[in-house]
Amino acid sequence: MKMADCKVKTEKLFKTPKYVQELIPVYRISEDGIFELEKKPDGAKKLYDRAYLFEDANFATMDDYEKEDFLKLYCGIKDN
């Protein structure tokens, strides 16, 4: 008998996404650029947004200083 056979496996708390697009909380985008954030039944209060900015961040071409500056900007951290 192997240890793996005896070991109790825990259940995952959330579904692991297969693609990056699954991490973006957008259900539907209308032609005028308004994002519906969640799929909800008709009559339920829905959330909408229009302020999304999608940018690529290619860390392979950045040096260490550029990476640090980018991450500070992304996380909203200011230098003192």
Side-chain angles (χ1 to χ4, degrees), residues 21-43:
Q21 291 174 332
E22 293 178 358
L23 294 172
I24 301 170
V26 174
Y27 169 62
R28 183 171 48 189
I29 304 172
S30 66
E31 289 183 19
D32 61 353
I34 296 178
F35 291 68
E36 185 177 342
L37 301 181
E38 301 173 310
K39 181 179 181 178
K40 289 191 174 182
D42 290 336

Side-chain angles (χ1 to χ4, degrees), residues 48-64:
Y48 296 93
D49 199 346
R50 192 179 179 150
Y52 277 86
L53 174 65
F54 299 101
E55 290 184 5
D56 288 338
N58 189 353
F59 286 109
T61 61
M62 293 182 187
D63 63 21
D64 289 340

Side-chain angles (χ1 to χ4, degrees), residues 11-23:
E11 211 174 295
K12 291 185 179 181
L13 298 177
F14 58 91
K15 181 184 169 197
T16 304
K18 291 182 181 181
Y19 309 101
V20 173
Q21 291 174 332
E22 293 178 358
L23 294 172

Side-chain angles (χ1 to χ4, degrees), residues 3 5 9 27 40-41 44 57 62 66-67 70-73 75 78-79:
M3 180 65 173
D5 297 333
K9 296 179 181 178
Y27 169 62
K40 289 191 174 182
M62 293 182 187
E66 289 173 320
K67 290 177 188 177
F70 178 82
L71 290 173
K72 284 180 181 178
L73 179 66
C75 296
K78 297 180 181 178
D79 267 341

